Amino acid sequence: MGFSEDNLKGFILALVSSLFIGASFIIKKKGLRRAAAASGVRAGIGGFSYLLEPLWWLGMITMIIGEVANFVAYAFAPAVLVTPLGALSIIVSAVLAQFILNEKLHQLGILGCVMCIAGSVVIVIHAPQEHPITSVQEICSMATQPAFLLYVASVIVLVFILIFHFAPQCGHSNVLVFTGICSLMGSLSVMSVKALGTALKLTFEGNNQLLYPETWFFVFIVATCVIMQMNYLNKALDTFNTAVVSPIYYVMFTSLTIIASVIMFKDWDGQSVGNIISEICGFIVVLSGTILLHTTTDFERSSSFRGSYASLPPALSARLCSGNGEFMKHDEENQLPAEAVCLQRQEMH
Amino acid sequence: MGFSEDNLKGFILALVSSLFIGASFIIKKKGLRRAAAASGVRAGIGGFSYLLEPLWWLGMITMIIGEVANFVAYAFAPAVLVTPLGALSIIVSAVLAQFILNEKLHQLGILGCVMCIAGSVVIVIHAPQEHPITSVQEICSMATQPAFLLYVASVIVLVFILIFHFAPQCGHSNVLVFTGICSLMGSLSVMSVKALGTALKLTFEGNNQLLYPETWFFVFIVATCVIMQMNYLNKALDTFNTAVVSPIYYVMFTSLTIIASVIMFKDWDGQSVGNIISEICGFIVVLSGTILLHTTTDFERSSSFRGSYASLPPALSARLCSGNGEFMKHDEENQLPAEAVCLQRQEMH
């Protein structure tokens, strides 16, 4: 129940991050629409005219600010607190879409938003306090404890099996393969991002950690994990519908990150059983809210387009960004009104 | 966070109550179906053949056992804990309906169940411990404290305004009028049920409370409130669709009961802010789950019957039962397949 100053900072940063990431989708989408209206070619079809559109770049900058805030949040608060709050960016998007893009939010979508908020509040209230970390060596010793090494080894083995055995066989028919790879790698990304963030935080506080090879080792791990995660996330989104990938990815990624954090940072040590159960329930509620939001958005679309809704090819933008808000990025393509696309296509002929 | 022995007893009784009440709907519905199949006339249309059906009576007995368990639960645990758990009876019904009546549960319905459970767990974990009550006079002094008298007065004034001003004007067009009256009365019912239950509990423990006029006063209050509540609940269900009435009634009734309990029994005194907020969030989650369950059940129906689904007249059974699981009782009529109704109506001509 302890809500330390560091937890508060991390919480506010996570909120700011969700605000920026959520808003960035809307700004980018508005930019894409404008670019499409000006040139008549959509990003999903292969046009690059949006690169000349200032709004799209503003969206990119907003997203980068959001991702940086998210990165810094991990330096202050436990991953058990920061990661599930990523779901709030979906709410920001959904609400802004209603006001700025005039997209109607389904009533059940509102219920999904309410649940995400209620679940987040429960998570925030029960977030554990972190043991203060004083050096990068301390993080290293946490990362090399047997339990966490076992976790890392299991993740690597699983990822190898998925990449070399399952991906060629059923990667394009089973959504769990690519999504599983990027969720597994994602949990390691967050752990290494947290290690690096803490090292940088200590450096800014005057306790220079850049002198130690451990810090640079974490830079390398962050880069490797994030690149792999992004690569397989793009494969998943290339192959399957966003509405299918997003909730599955969110569930797996967040669950694995929490497990990794609990093992490495011993987040739940000294917590009461009630606290831990409340936190898990809060997490389940946020997951349910996320699923509901995605399901109803999809339902709205498919019912209004009478089944003509098809998965659109992903745009370059998907490859340009990174971080935990990423599971939504293709929405900017998919949520463009089908009628607008038809009109544009007719105009082209 | 304290989970006392009394809270545990109350919690188990509330669970048992939900199990029995949830099961009773299914048993009664099976009885109604059988009676309809035997006689060709449905209860909703005016047949009484179900009174000859043993299954229907078994359902009634199951429901009465559930209501008694619910009544006893209030004697042990705070209303803040017992009332929201009433939502679990919907889950029991939904799950049993799938296995026994072969009604398909919508995927979002499953999500609703998960949410109701997660929210209930959060509520149970954060339920306040009650101050031990030693005599009916103590309850009386609680009931006559200025804050609670103000609540009772406001309820009575509101009910009068609703009955004499709004009911004749828009009772048959606005669902909030009748539902509001029975929710307001319901909160007083629960408070008086709790007072009476505590008095009986003390009596069984050897501390006879039946000697005091206060106990008999509470008997009178219970009878008055429950009768008014049932009367207006039946009016609401007579006038509007169950799928509309149920979630609204559940939200208003549970919220008002919690407010009344917090005022009268000072449930939240000495509780930490985190505890109270968690409890409210748990409650919001259970509400959302309930709404989702009802909405999706309705959606399933309306989509498979292509809009031909109409509100059916309520049956006598609705008038025979009482208690907090009541908001579901008409489902047994509404959930009878529409085709069966059409067939029966055609047969009648």
Side-chain angles (χ1 to χ4, degrees):
Chain A
M1 246 18 177
F3 208 72
S4 66
E5 204 186 317
D6 267 8
N7 267 11
L8 186 67
K9 277 184 200 159
F11 168 63
I12 291 171
L13 281 165
L15 275 192
V16 169
S17 157
S18 288
L19 263 175
F20 274 86
I21 292 174
S24 77
F25 293 118
I26 305 303
I27 300 172
K28 282 208 277 181
K29 188 162 161 187
K30 201 145 177 108
L32 282 170
R33 275 193 186 174
R34 231 193 241 175
S39 72
V41 182
R42 288 190 66 228
I45 297 161
F48 292 100
S49 61
Y50 61 85
L51 291 176
L52 299 171
E53 176 57 51
L55 257 187
W56 187 86
W57 283 104
L58 181 68
M60 272 311 286
I61 293 164
T62 316
M63 164 158 273
I64 290 165
I65 296 172
E67 293 298 346
V68 170
N70 192 45
F71 173 80
V72 182
Y74 278 116
F76 286 99
V80 177
L81 173 62
V82 177
T83 311
L85 292 183
L88 295 179
S89 67
I90 313 177
I91 299 183
V92 175
S93 279
V95 172
L96 286 180
Q98 187 160 37
F99 290 109
I100 296 178
L101 303 176
N102 298 318
E103 280 174 8
K104 220 187 84 199
L105 190 59
H106 192 273
Q107 280 187 321
L108 287 181
I110 298 172
L111 205 66
C113 289
V114 170
M115 280 159 52
C116 284
I117 293 171
S120 300
V121 171
V122 172
I123 290 174
V124 168
I125 289 176
H126 297 92
Q129 266 182 296
E130 270 190 315
H131 321 282
I133 294 168
T134 51
S135 72
V136 75
Q137 280 84 4
E138 203 179 327
I139 306 174
C140 253
S141 71
M142 282 174 170
T144 49
Q145 59 186 312
F148 190 69
L149 286 181
L150 187 70
Y151 177 80
V152 174
S154 323
V155 164
I156 293 174
V157 168
L158 269 173
V159 166
F160 264 83
I161 294 174
L162 282 171
I163 292 181
F164 294 107
H165 181 74
F166 287 103
Q169 254 186 17
C170 51
H172 290 267
S173 58
N174 190 336
V175 69
L176 293 177
V177 179
F178 291 142
T179 327
I181 297 171
C182 65
S183 302
L184 286 164
M185 291 314 294
S187 71
L188 297 187
S189 302
V190 170
M191 288 305 100
S192 51
V193 156
K194 193 159 166 48
L196 186 60
T198 310
L200 291 180
K201 183 187 147 204
L202 289 172
T203 306
F204 281 114
E205 285 171 3
N207 180 359
N208 193 350
Q209 302 292 318
L210 301 178
L211 309 169
Y212 303 111
E214 286 93 339
T215 310
W216 299 100
F217 174 72
F218 282 125
V219 172
F220 170 74
I221 299 286
V222 167
T224 315
C225 292
V226 168
I227 289 170
M228 269 198 70
Q229 185 188 356
M230 284 304 107
N231 179 36
Y232 281 95
L233 183 56
N234 279 325
K235 283 200 182 179
L237 290 166
D238 262 343
T239 320
F240 304 97
N241 197 323
T242 323
V244 176
V245 173
S246 305
I248 296 176
Y249 176 53
Y250 182 78
V251 171
M252 291 207 292
F253 170 64
T254 317
S255 310
L256 288 168
T257 302
I258 289 178
I259 292 171
S261 179
V262 165
I263 296 175
M264 179 165 162
F265 294 98
K266 299 203 177 65
D267 288 330
W268 283 348
D269 271 26
Q271 295 279 98
S272 72
V273 178
N275 243 16
I276 295 173
I277 296 175
S278 302
E279 209 165 312
I280 293 173
C281 284
F283 175 54
I284 291 172
V285 171
V286 173
L287 291 187
S288 310
T290 312
I291 294 171
L292 190 58
L293 254 170
H294 278 288
T295 316
T296 50
T297 316
D298 191 37
F299 163 70
E300 274 280 278
R301 261 182 241 149
S302 58
S303 67
S304 57
F305 302 153
R306 286 161 206 277
S308 72
Y309 170 75
S311 171
L312 294 164
L316 187 77
S317 71
R319 291 163 220 283
L320 289 174
C321 35
S322 69
N324 84 324
E326 280 323 288
F327 54 87
M328 268 195 73
K329 65 175 165 273
H330 277 270
D331 280 1
E332 58 202 285
E333 270 74 54
N334 290 344
Q335 281 176 1
L336 260 185
E339 299 91 298
V341 179
C342 294
L343 280 175
Q344 284 166 16
R345 284 189 179 149
Q346 282 165 4
E347 278 165 23
M348 282 164 71
H349 293 294
Chain B
M1 234 39 162
F3 208 71
S4 65
E5 205 186 317
D6 267 7
N7 268 10
L8 186 66
K9 277 185 202 158
F11 168 63
I12 290 170
L13 281 164
L15 275 191
V16 169
S17 156
S18 288
L19 263 175
F20 273 86
I21 293 175
S24 77
F25 293 118
I26 306 302
I27 300 172
K28 282 208 279 179
K29 188 163 163 185
K30 202 149 176 104
L32 282 171
R33 275 193 186 174
R34 232 192 239 175
S39 72
V41 181
R42 287 191 66 229
I45 296 159
F48 291 99
S49 60
Y50 61 86
L51 291 177
L52 299 171
E53 175 58 51
L55 257 188
W56 187 84
W57 283 105
L58 180 68
M60 272 310 285
I61 293 165
T62 315
M63 164 159 274
I64 291 165
I65 295 173
E67 293 299 344
V68 170
N70 191 45
F71 174 80
V72 182
Y74 278 115
F76 286 99
V80 178
L81 172 63
V82 178
T83 310
L85 292 183
L88 295 180
S89 66
I90 312 177
I91 298 183
V92 175
S93 280
V95 172
L96 286 180
Q98 188 161 34
F99 290 109
I100 296 178
L101 302 175
N102 297 320
E103 280 174 7
K104 219 188 85 199
L105 189 60
H106 192 272
Q107 278 188 323
L108 287 180
I110 299 172
L111 205 67
C113 289
V114 170
M115 277 159 54
C116 283
I117 293 170
S120 299
V121 170
V122 172
I123 291 173
V124 168
I125 289 177
H126 298 91
Q129 267 182 292
E130 269 190 316
H131 321 281
I133 294 168
T134 51
S135 72
V136 74
Q137 281 83 1
E138 203 179 326
I139 305 175
C140 252
S141 72
M142 280 175 172
T144 51
Q145 59 185 313
F148 190 69
L149 286 181
L150 188 69
Y151 177 81
V152 174
S154 321
V155 164
I156 293 172
V157 169
L158 270 173
V159 165
F160 264 83
I161 294 175
L162 283 171
I163 292 180
F164 294 106
H165 182 74
F166 287 103
Q169 256 188 16
C170 50
H172 291 267
S173 58
N174 191 336
V175 67
L176 292 176
V177 179
F178 291 142
T179 327
I181 296 170
C182 65
S183 303
L184 285 164
M185 291 314 294
S187 70
L188 297 187
S189 301
V190 169
M191 288 305 100
S192 51
V193 156
K194 191 158 168 51
L196 186 60
T198 310
L200 291 180
K201 182 187 146 204
L202 289 172
T203 306
F204 281 114
E205 286 171 2
N207 180 0
N208 194 350
Q209 302 293 318
L210 301 178
L211 310 168
Y212 304 111
E214 286 93 338
T215 309
W216 298 101
F217 173 72
F218 283 125
V219 172
F220 169 73
I221 299 286
V222 167
T224 316
C225 291
V226 168
I227 288 170
M228 270 198 68
Q229 185 188 355
M230 283 305 108
N231 179 32
Y232 281 95
L233 183 56
N234 279 325
K235 284 202 182 179
L237 289 167
D238 262 343
T239 321
F240 304 97
N241 196 320
T242 322
V244 176
V245 173
S246 305
I248 296 175
Y249 176 53
Y250 182 79
V251 171
M252 291 208 292
F253 169 65
T254 316
S255 311
L256 288 167
T257 301
I258 288 179
I259 293 170
S261 179
V262 165
I263 296 174
M264 181 167 162
F265 293 97
K266 300 204 177 66
D267 288 329
W268 284 347
D269 272 24
Q271 295 278 98
S272 72
V273 178
N275 244 18
I276 296 172
I277 296 176
S278 301
E279 210 166 311
I280 294 173
C281 284
F283 175 53
I284 292 172
V285 171
V286 174
L287 291 187
S288 309
T290 312
I291 294 171
L292 191 58
L293 255 169
H294 278 289
T295 316
T296 50
T297 316
D298 192 36
F299 163 71
E300 273 281 279
R301 264 181 239 149
S302 58
S303 67
S304 56
F305 303 152
R306 287 164 205 276
S308 73
Y309 170 77
S311 171
L312 295 164
L316 186 77
S317 71
R319 291 164 222 281
L320 289 176
C321 34
S322 70
N324 84 325
E326 280 322 287
F327 54 87
M328 267 195 74
K329 64 175 166 274
H330 277 271
D331 280 2
E332 59 202 286
E333 270 72 55
N334 289 343
Q335 282 176 1
L336 261 185
E339 298 93 296
V341 181
C342 294
L343 280 174
Q344 283 165 16
R345 284 190 179 149
Q346 282 166 2
E347 278 164 23
M348 283 164 73
H349 293 293

